[in-house]
Short mmCIF file of all heavy atoms in Angstrom, two decimals:
data_model
loop_
_atom_site.label_atom_id
_atom_site.label_comp_id
_atom_site.label_asym_id
_atom_site.label_seq_id
_atom_site.Cartn_x
_atom_site.Cartn_y
_atom_site.Cartn_z
N HIS A 67 -47.08 38.50 23.81
CA HIS A 67 -45.73 38.50 24.40
C HIS A 67 -44.71 39.01 23.39
O HIS A 67 -44.20 38.25 22.56
CB HIS A 67 -45.37 37.08 24.84
CG HIS A 67 -44.12 36.99 25.65
ND1 HIS A 67 -43.93 36.02 26.62
CD2 HIS A 67 -42.99 37.73 25.67
CE1 HIS A 67 -42.75 36.17 27.18
NE2 HIS A 67 -42.15 37.20 26.61
N HIS A 69 -41.49 42.29 22.73
CA HIS A 69 -40.63 43.33 23.31
C HIS A 69 -40.44 44.42 22.26
O HIS A 69 -39.84 44.16 21.21
CB HIS A 69 -39.27 42.74 23.70
CG HIS A 69 -39.39 41.61 24.69
ND1 HIS A 69 -39.35 41.81 26.05
CD2 HIS A 69 -39.58 40.28 24.52
CE1 HIS A 69 -39.49 40.64 26.67
NE2 HIS A 69 -39.63 39.69 25.76
N ARG A 71 -39.19 47.56 23.21
CA ARG A 71 -38.00 48.32 23.66
C ARG A 71 -38.19 49.82 23.83
O ARG A 71 -37.21 50.55 23.92
CB ARG A 71 -36.83 48.10 22.70
CG ARG A 71 -36.52 46.65 22.35
CD ARG A 71 -36.15 45.81 23.53
NE ARG A 71 -35.59 44.52 23.11
CZ ARG A 71 -35.59 43.45 23.87
NH1 ARG A 71 -36.11 43.47 25.10
NH2 ARG A 71 -35.05 42.33 23.44
N ASN A 101 -39.89 45.08 30.16
CA ASN A 101 -38.44 45.15 30.41
C ASN A 101 -37.78 46.18 29.49
O ASN A 101 -36.92 45.89 28.68
CB ASN A 101 -37.75 43.78 30.29
CG ASN A 101 -37.93 43.11 28.95
OD1 ASN A 101 -38.86 43.41 28.22
ND2 ASN A 101 -37.02 42.21 28.61
N ASP A 158 -40.78 40.06 32.94
CA ASP A 158 -40.20 39.23 31.89
C ASP A 158 -38.70 39.44 31.67
O ASP A 158 -38.21 40.56 31.67
CB ASP A 158 -40.91 39.44 30.56
CG ASP A 158 -40.58 38.31 29.60
OD1 ASP A 158 -41.10 37.21 29.83
OD2 ASP A 158 -39.79 38.51 28.68
N GLY A 159 -38.03 38.33 31.48
CA GLY A 159 -36.56 38.35 31.42
C GLY A 159 -36.00 38.07 32.80
O GLY A 159 -35.01 37.37 32.93
N ASN A 160 -36.67 38.60 33.82
CA ASN A 160 -36.29 38.32 35.22
C ASN A 160 -37.36 37.45 35.87
O ASN A 160 -38.53 37.81 35.89
CB ASN A 160 -36.22 39.61 36.05
CG ASN A 160 -35.04 40.47 35.67
OD1 ASN A 160 -34.16 40.04 34.94
ND2 ASN A 160 -35.02 41.68 36.19
N HIS A 185 -41.64 34.85 34.31
CA HIS A 185 -40.57 34.27 33.47
C HIS A 185 -39.93 33.15 34.29
O HIS A 185 -39.11 33.40 35.16
CB HIS A 185 -39.54 35.34 33.12
CG HIS A 185 -38.42 34.82 32.28
ND1 HIS A 185 -38.23 35.19 30.98
CD2 HIS A 185 -37.44 33.93 32.56
CE1 HIS A 185 -37.17 34.56 30.49
NE2 HIS A 185 -36.66 33.80 31.43
N GLU A 187 -37.59 30.70 35.19
CA GLU A 187 -36.26 30.08 35.10
C GLU A 187 -35.60 30.28 36.46
O GLU A 187 -35.39 31.43 36.89
CB GLU A 187 -35.40 30.74 34.02
CG GLU A 187 -35.75 30.36 32.60
CD GLU A 187 -34.69 30.82 31.62
OE1 GLU A 187 -34.57 32.05 31.42
OE2 GLU A 187 -33.97 29.99 31.09
N HIS A 238 -43.83 31.09 27.38
CA HIS A 238 -42.86 30.29 26.59
C HIS A 238 -42.46 28.93 27.19
O HIS A 238 -41.31 28.71 27.55
CB HIS A 238 -41.61 31.10 26.28
CG HIS A 238 -41.10 32.05 27.33
ND1 HIS A 238 -40.88 31.69 28.62
CD2 HIS A 238 -40.77 33.36 27.24
CE1 HIS A 238 -40.42 32.74 29.29
NE2 HIS A 238 -40.35 33.76 28.48
N LYS A 282 -29.72 31.93 20.41
CA LYS A 282 -29.62 31.98 21.88
C LYS A 282 -30.84 32.71 22.42
O LYS A 282 -31.03 33.90 22.15
CB LYS A 282 -28.33 32.69 22.30
CG LYS A 282 -28.17 32.82 23.81
CD LYS A 282 -26.91 33.57 24.18
CE LYS A 282 -26.87 33.83 25.68
NZ LYS A 282 -25.72 34.65 26.09
N VAL A 283 -31.64 32.02 23.19
CA VAL A 283 -32.92 32.56 23.63
C VAL A 283 -33.21 32.02 25.02
O VAL A 283 -32.68 30.97 25.40
CB VAL A 283 -34.01 32.17 22.58
CG1 VAL A 283 -34.26 30.69 22.57
CG2 VAL A 283 -35.28 32.92 22.78
N ALA A 284 -34.01 32.75 25.78
CA ALA A 284 -34.37 32.29 27.12
C ALA A 284 -35.88 32.19 27.25
O ALA A 284 -36.57 33.17 27.00
CB ALA A 284 -33.84 33.27 28.16
N PRO A 285 -36.42 31.01 27.61
CA PRO A 285 -35.73 29.74 27.83
C PRO A 285 -35.14 29.21 26.52
O PRO A 285 -35.61 29.58 25.44
CB PRO A 285 -36.85 28.83 28.36
CG PRO A 285 -38.11 29.40 27.80
CD PRO A 285 -37.90 30.87 27.74
N ASP A 311 -42.75 36.06 21.70
CA ASP A 311 -41.56 36.49 22.46
C ASP A 311 -40.58 37.21 21.54
O ASP A 311 -39.35 37.05 21.65
CB ASP A 311 -40.87 35.31 23.17
CG ASP A 311 -39.93 35.80 24.28
OD1 ASP A 311 -39.90 37.02 24.54
OD2 ASP A 311 -39.22 34.97 24.87
N ALA A 313 -38.06 39.40 20.40
CA ALA A 313 -37.06 40.04 21.28
C ALA A 313 -35.91 40.60 20.44
O ALA A 313 -34.92 39.91 20.20
CB ALA A 313 -36.56 39.05 22.31
N PRO A 314 -36.05 41.85 19.98
CA PRO A 314 -35.04 42.42 19.09
C PRO A 314 -33.75 42.81 19.82
O PRO A 314 -33.79 43.36 20.93
CB PRO A 314 -35.72 43.68 18.54
CG PRO A 314 -37.07 43.76 19.18
CD PRO A 314 -37.15 42.77 20.26
N HIS A 315 -32.62 42.51 19.18
CA HIS A 315 -31.30 42.95 19.66
C HIS A 315 -30.49 43.39 18.45
O HIS A 315 -30.69 42.87 17.34
CB HIS A 315 -30.58 41.80 20.37
CG HIS A 315 -31.24 41.40 21.66
ND1 HIS A 315 -31.13 42.14 22.81
CD2 HIS A 315 -32.03 40.35 21.96
CE1 HIS A 315 -31.83 41.54 23.78
NE2 HIS A 315 -32.40 40.46 23.28
N PRO A 328 -26.77 38.74 24.06
CA PRO A 328 -28.02 38.69 24.82
C PRO A 328 -28.95 37.57 24.32
O PRO A 328 -28.82 37.10 23.19
CB PRO A 328 -28.64 40.06 24.57
CG PRO A 328 -28.05 40.53 23.29
CD PRO A 328 -26.69 39.92 23.18
N PHE A 329 -29.87 37.18 25.19
CA PHE A 329 -30.89 36.18 24.84
C PHE A 329 -31.98 36.84 24.00
O PHE A 329 -32.39 37.95 24.30
CB PHE A 329 -31.55 35.64 26.11
CG PHE A 329 -30.66 34.79 26.97
CD1 PHE A 329 -30.04 35.34 28.09
CD2 PHE A 329 -30.46 33.46 26.68
CE1 PHE A 329 -29.22 34.56 28.92
CE2 PHE A 329 -29.65 32.67 27.50
CZ PHE A 329 -29.03 33.22 28.62
N GLY A 330 -32.48 36.14 23.01
CA GLY A 330 -33.67 36.61 22.31
C GLY A 330 -33.56 36.55 20.80
O GLY A 330 -32.48 36.65 20.24
N MET A 331 -34.71 36.37 20.16
CA MET A 331 -34.79 36.43 18.70
C MET A 331 -36.10 37.12 18.30
O MET A 331 -37.07 37.07 19.05
CB MET A 331 -34.70 35.04 18.08
CG MET A 331 -35.83 34.11 18.40
SD MET A 331 -35.68 32.51 17.56
CE MET A 331 -34.54 31.61 18.60
O1 LIG B 501 -34.76 35.40 25.01
C1 LIG B 501 -35.35 36.27 25.65
N1 LIG B 501 -35.22 37.57 25.38
N2 LIG B 501 -36.12 35.88 26.66
C2 LIG B 501 -36.66 36.77 27.49
O2 LIG B 501 -37.39 36.38 28.33
C3 LIG B 501 -36.36 38.20 27.36
C4 LIG B 501 -36.07 38.53 25.99
C5 LIG B 501 -35.53 39.91 25.79
O3 LIG B 501 -36.09 40.86 26.34
O4 LIG B 501 -34.57 40.08 25.03
#
Side-chain angles (χ1 to χ4, degrees):
H67 190 150
H69 302 269
R71 311 299 192 203
N101 59 338
D158 197 73
N160 289 350
H185 179 112
E187 284 192 291
H238 37 51
K282 178 182 173 185
V283 67
D311 197 6
H315 293 284
F329 291 99
M331 65 177 82

